[in-house]
Amino acid sequence: MKQHRLAAAVALVSLVLAGCDSQTSVELKTPAQKASYGIGLNMGKSLAQEGMDDLDSKAVAQGIEDAVGKKEQKLKDEELIEAFAALQKRAEERLTKMSEEASTAGKKFLEENSKKAGVVTTASGLQYEVIKKADGPQPKATDVVTVHYEGKLIDGKVFDSSVERGSPIDLPVSGVIPGWVEGLQLMHVGEKYKLYIPSELAYGAQSPSPAIPANSVLVFDLELLGIKDPAKSEQGDAAK
């Protein structure tokens, strides 16, 4: 609830820039001007992700002008509360629909994917495919590993990628989503897997970000680069 209220408020602020005439030039020279543009850009992205693309940018600009100029507001508080409630209800309905669609599509995807050659399904429901085999050691739940990864939705949309950032990450095996905890312990250092993670082994009914709808099946290209040496890590911490 609070998240949607915040998103709606943030979206309103973002539309100030959108309210400007497309032919009006905006100077972006001073730090304040650049920061203002950055705020609008970030909030505009948030707006798009929330699906609120029909708000009136001119009304937004008028509201801010009235507030800054300490003018009498044109709508009563009761009217504003009613309007925000309507937007929030619409946002919740949209998220519920997306969640239901993701759940249905995910189940169908996993069912069909399980029939493909090379795909293994574990007792938990995790599906994986060995892309590159290696003979390195296997991590334990207590280990910290170095990995490269790319996460996608079942439609192929990338939502996170260390590959794109050009930098692998270190993470505790037991500190990630259940699908990763299980998948990492199946791998040998040097191997590449493709993990197909059911929503209940990922984020379930909770959406960690607008880029990942609730109840989504997640697909990861995962490469296990190494297992961190606890002794060296302790020595490094002691040297600091």
Side-chain angles (χ1 to χ4, degrees), residues 17-240:
L17 288 180
C20 298
D21 190 291
S22 60
Q23 296 180 351
T24 301
S25 60
V26 178
E27 290 191 354
L28 301 174
K29 296 180 180 179
T30 68
Q33 289 172 332
K34 293 177 180 179
S36 298
Y37 176 77
I39 291 172
L41 191 65
N42 290 334
M43 299 311 180
K45 291 178 181 179
S46 175
L47 170 65
Q49 290 174 335
E50 291 289 343
M52 297 181 186
D53 54 3
D54 62 344
L55 299 180
D56 191 325
S57 59
K58 293 182 179 179
V60 174
Q62 183 64 63
I64 292 180
E65 285 182 16
D66 288 350
V68 173
K70 298 181 179 180
K71 300 177 182 178
E72 182 179 356
Q73 62 188 57
K74 294 177 173 57
L75 295 174
K76 296 179 180 179
D77 288 343
E78 292 78 8
E79 294 179 279
L80 295 175
I81 292 172
E82 183 180 354
F84 279 121
L87 281 182
Q88 184 171 324
K89 181 181 178 182
R90 187 182 69 176
E92 290 173 348
E93 291 174 346
R94 173 177 173 270
L95 289 176
T96 297
K97 181 180 179 182
M98 289 176 63
S99 175
E100 292 173 349
E101 291 175 346
S103 179
T104 300
K107 290 176 181 178
K108 181 179 179 181
F109 172 85
L110 290 173
E111 182 179 354
E112 295 177 351
N113 193 63
S114 67
K115 301 173 185 177
K116 294 182 179 179
V119 174
V120 179
T121 303
T122 71
S124 70
L126 173 71
Q127 296 180 2
Y128 71 90
E129 186 177 357
V130 181
I131 305 302
K132 175 187 174 183
K133 289 188 66 65
D135 297 322
Q138 290 178 285
K140 304 181 295 296
T142 54
D143 286 330
V144 173
V145 296
T146 303
V147 300
H148 245 327
Y149 69 93
E150 183 165 81
K152 303 176 183 178
L153 301 179
I154 59 175
D155 62 3
K157 182 180 179 181
V158 176
F159 59 81
D160 191 15
S161 175
S162 69
V163 177
E164 287 185 359
R165 292 191 295 271
S167 177
I169 66 168
D170 295 339
L171 51 85
V173 174
S174 61
V176 288
I177 58 175
W180 268 50
V181 174
E182 181 179 356
L184 283 168
Q185 293 180 81
L186 295 171
M187 300 177 70
H188 297 78
V189 172
E191 288 189 326
K192 292 182 180 181
Y193 272 34
K194 185 179 286 288
L195 301 180
Y196 307 91
I197 304 180
S199 64
E200 59 269 22
L201 298 179
Y203 299 104
Q206 301 299 317
S207 172
S209 79
I212 303 176
N215 294 322
S216 290
V217 169
L218 305 182
V219 180
F220 284 95
D221 292 305
L222 181 61
E223 181 178 9
L224 179 57
L225 300 175
I227 301 173
K228 304 290 285 187
D229 187 337
K232 289 184 177 180
S233 296
E234 290 175 2
Q235 291 175 3
D237 291 339
K240 292 181 180 179

